[in-house]
Amino acid sequence: MPTKPTPSDEFITRFAPSPTGLLHMGHAYSALAAFNQAKARGGRFLLRIEDIDQGRCRPEFVEAIFEDLAWLGLTWEEPVRRQSEHFEDYAAALQALKDMGVAYPCFCTRKDIQKEIQRAPSAPHGAEGPIYPGTCRTIDRTDAVARIAAGQPHAWRLNLGAALSITGANLSWQDQIRGTIVAAPELLGDVVLARKDTPTSYHLSVVWDDALQGVTHIIRGEDLFDATHIHVVLQKLLDLPTPQYCHHKLLAGSDGKRFAKRDKALTLAWLRESGTVAETLIASLQEQTRR
Ligand code: GLU
């Protein structure tokens, strides 16, 4: 009789697209990679809709995700978690970080940040360009409370220095492709935990949901590799487990550029509607991963 997997050898992975556009071949590759690993290891495959950005996400893109993935032959567990239905979870996580003293309100506009960076050209650059120069980190608490009470728009940022003094600097994760990675969260700095227009951020909600859903293996593109430097810090702060990661390479088109949601002809919806057979696409994706 097969033994019931213990939590440590259970394999749970997920595909977590944001419905801000139609899925393309790169998404198909990523979803298949996760699905195939789950099947090969007798594990579970989840689908999560990351629709926190209510201004950019659209219901028709959610529908297209379901249709595209079904067309590719994927099956997933129901119910599908939709992040927009769980803002109170992320608010609780944010509150926990505020209570620890590792989150601060940031009143800067994009322009303020740009100006500040131009003023100090030696401002540190990280994985995603110049990192936030920390302008609001030192605002007096009473002043910040007054500005919030007066209705001044604000985001919430991680105070990375304060966070690392709690977690310690020796954080790492296991990456299926690159081995043990020592976290370098200073590459991202004081990231946004909750945006002005959305009461959470990608970093906070992805970390929260992966833990809540018991995800043991995160299989995603290497464009998200650097985000993991911050995710392990948030996991440690919130006392959540760090899953194993696999940051796979990104597929490139014939021009060598990676696929983007704006390349209409390469969307799965377009391929599906133009009569492409899913098996042909899957074979071509497998071929490309061998190159
Ligand atoms: N929602 C993210 C995206 O569409 C992916 C999240 C993840 O896999 O961690 O880029």
Side-chain angles (χ1 to χ4, degrees), residues 5 14 47 64 72-73 76 78 91 110 117 139 153 156 169 201 213-214 237 261 270 279:
R14 54 37 165 205
L47 171 64
L72 283 171
W76 53 89
E78 297 285 351
R110 264 173 218 270
I117 288 167
I139 293 179
W156 284 87
S201 67
Q213 297 190 286
L237 285 169
K261 283 180 178 160
W270 188 88
E279 284 71 27

Side-chain angles (χ1 to χ4, degrees), residues 129-201:
I131 62 174
Y132 177 65
T135 323
C136 291
R137 196 191 303 129
T138 50
I139 293 179
D140 173 74
R141 204 182 141 80
T142 327
D143 185 18
V145 170
R147 286 165 79 169
I148 293 173
Q152 197 171 336
H154 59 285
W156 284 87
R157 285 184 181 273
L158 179 70
N159 182 336
L160 183 62
L164 293 180
S165 68
I166 294 178
T167 63
N170 289 329
L171 298 174
S172 63
W173 77 85
Q174 288 305 318
D175 205 278
Q176 221 180 74
I177 296 177
R178 299 200 208 175
T180 304
I181 306 291
V182 175
E186 62 283 0
L187 289 174
L188 285 95
D190 289 1
V191 294
V192 171
L193 298 170
R195 290 160 34 172
K196 279 184 186 162
D197 53 353
T198 306
T200 184
S201 67

Side-chain angles (χ1 to χ4, degrees), residues 14 16-18 50 202 206 220 224:
R14 54 37 165 205
S18 301
E50 299 212 323
Y202 160 64
V206 80
R220 61 183 178 197
L224 290 168

Side-chain angles (χ1 to χ4, degrees), residues 22 24 27 257-264 266-267:
L22 292 168
H24 53 67
H27 292 109
K257 289 204 188 117
R258 54 187 253 220
F259 295 116
K261 283 180 178 160
R262 59 184 176 275
D263 298 330
K264 222 185 174 149
L266 296 166
T267 62

Side-chain angles (χ1 to χ4, degrees), residues 55-109:
R56 289 174 63 223
C57 293
R58 301 228 297 266
E60 58 270 34
F61 294 139
V62 178
E63 282 318 304
I65 288 170
F66 295 143
E67 285 174 38
D68 290 342
L69 298 183
W71 176 70
L72 283 171
L74 270 52
T75 49
W76 53 89
E77 293 182 13
E78 297 285 351
V80 169
R81 184 170 171 89
R82 296 186 187 215
Q83 291 190 324
S84 60
E85 293 169 0
H86 300 282
F87 283 124
E88 71 286 359
D89 283 18
Y90 317 126
L94 178 62
Q95 190 57 49
L97 296 173
K98 288 181 195 172
D99 293 345
M100 277 177 231
V102 298
Y104 63 88
C106 172
F107 303 93
C108 293
T109 60

